[in-house]
């Protein structure tokens, strides 16, 4: 109740109250009609009536798109109620695997600058994404096959960062690899089990 009493009127509410007061005073002959002859006056109540009629005529667009019907996982215009993640096919050793976009760290780089370079590599210059924070959200460690291990290099670490695509218009994208946009429940169709376990730890539905 206190919040209601202390709350402020919106501009529209103030306009409506002022118009109601003017109408009341006119009815009581306290205010001459100062509107120009023939001038159309749009009252706040008229606007509300118009908005109400527009609402009654409104019909929401279907949630199921053509990309959903075709199961086109290269399209962002699908699964509109879910967050989609970019997967790219990359060559790791002798295998071609579906992975979250990644690039090898170069000496002198921060982890974040490596992420920025990886995104530029896969998304091109026309598509922008916003990276969240300077620290990784997760890490995945794995060992190389015995045949390629060395005394100083027995495995690798993959650091995961979160980024949000800031444009859904990919008409100018220059994706240079095979790619897919998938929901969390579809990751199991592409990622290897151990990699998927690590990814699922920091992904939210």
């Amino acid at each position: 109740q206190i919040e209601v009493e202390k709350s402020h009127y919106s501009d529209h509410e103030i306009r409506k109250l002022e118009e109601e007061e003017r109408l009341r005073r006119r009815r009581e002959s306290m205010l001459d009609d100062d509107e120009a002859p023939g001038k159309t006056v749009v009252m706040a109540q008229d606007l509300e009536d118009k908005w109400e009629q527009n609402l009654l005529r409104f019909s929401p667009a279907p949630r199921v798109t053509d990309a959903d019907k075709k199961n086109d996982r290269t399209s962002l215009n699908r699964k509109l109620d879910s967050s989609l993640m970019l997967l790219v096919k990359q060559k790791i050793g002798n295998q071609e695997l579906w992975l979250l976009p990644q690039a090898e760290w170069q000496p002198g780089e921060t982890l974040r600058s490596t992420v920025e370079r990886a995104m530029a590599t896969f998304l091109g210059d026309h598509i922008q994404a916003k990276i969240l924070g300077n620290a990784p959200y997760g890490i995945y460690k794995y060992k190389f096959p015995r045949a390629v291990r060395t005394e100083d290099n027995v495995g690798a670490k993959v650091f995961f960062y979160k980024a949000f695509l800031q444009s859904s218009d990919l008409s100018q994208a220059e994706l240079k690899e095979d790619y897919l946009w998938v929901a969390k429940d579809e990751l199991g169709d592409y990622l290897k089990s151990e990699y998927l376990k690590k990814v699922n730890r920091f992904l939210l539905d």
Side-chain angles (χ1 to χ4, degrees):
Q1 182 63 29
I2 292 175
E3 289 296 323
V4 172
E5 291 174 358
K6 291 185 176 181
S7 63
H8 294 280
Y9 287 118
S10 67
D11 290 345
H12 179 76
E13 290 171 321
I14 292 173
R15 172 181 173 177
K16 190 173 180 181
L17 290 172
E18 289 175 347
E19 289 176 351
E20 289 173 352
E21 177 63 16
R22 289 179 64 189
L23 289 174
R24 184 187 66 79
R25 295 173 65 187
R26 281 183 185 168
R27 283 195 298 268
E28 296 175 358
S29 300
M30 295 173 60
L31 182 67
D32 293 334
D33 189 352
D34 57 356
E35 299 294 345
K39 181 179 178 181
T40 301
V41 179
V42 179
M43 309 289 285
Q45 186 60 50
D46 297 330
L47 291 175
E48 290 187 11
D49 293 340
K50 180 181 178 181
W51 296 335
E52 183 68 25
Q53 292 302 313
N54 288 340
L55 177 61
L56 293 175
R57 290 194 299 268
F58 174 76
S59 177
R63 300 288 299 220
V64 178
T65 67
D66 289 339
D68 285 315
K69 295 174 184 177
K70 297 175 184 176
N71 195 27
D72 180 7
R73 297 189 178 185
T74 63
S75 172
L76 267 177
N77 191 33
R78 58 184 294 270
K79 284 192 171 285
L80 301 181
D81 58 346
S82 302
S83 296
L84 299 179
M85 285 153 280
L86 175 63
L87 295 184
V88 292
K89 187 175 282 188
Q90 293 183 265
K91 190 168 184 179
I92 305 296
N94 296 323
Q95 302 181 73
E96 285 195 340
L97 302 174
W98 286 107
L99 302 167
L100 297 172
Q102 67 180 43
E104 185 176 354
W105 173 80
Q106 299 295 332
E109 285 184 331
T110 64
L111 288 178
R112 176 165 174 141
S113 61
T114 304
V115 173
E116 292 169 345
R117 179 168 54 81
M119 290 197 304
T121 299
F122 291 105
L123 295 178
D125 298 327
H126 298 287
I127 304 300
Q128 298 297 320
K130 182 177 181 61
I131 302 170
L132 301 183
N134 294 318
Y137 275 76
I139 182 174
Y140 169 56
K141 296 187 289 186
Y142 64 94
K143 290 185 177 180
F144 297 142
R146 291 185 181 276
V148 297
R149 291 182 199 171
T150 65
E151 184 176 340
D152 298 324
N153 199 1
V154 297
K157 296 178 183 178
V158 179
F159 296 93
F160 297 100
Y161 279 74
K162 285 186 179 180
F164 286 101
L165 197 65
Q166 293 184 299
S167 170
S168 59
D169 179 13
L170 298 182
S171 59
Q172 300 296 319
E174 300 172 356
L175 293 169
K176 301 172 184 176
E177 307 284 342
D178 292 335
Y179 70 94
L180 298 168
W181 295 98
V182 298
K184 183 179 179 182
D185 60 1
E186 297 170 335
L187 289 173
D189 298 340
Y190 304 98
L191 303 184
K192 290 203 166 187
S193 58
E194 287 302 314
Y195 185 84
L196 178 61
K197 280 182 188 177
K198 299 295 183 181
V199 171
N200 275 334
R201 287 184 179 180
F202 61 85
L203 287 181
L204 300 176
D205 290 325

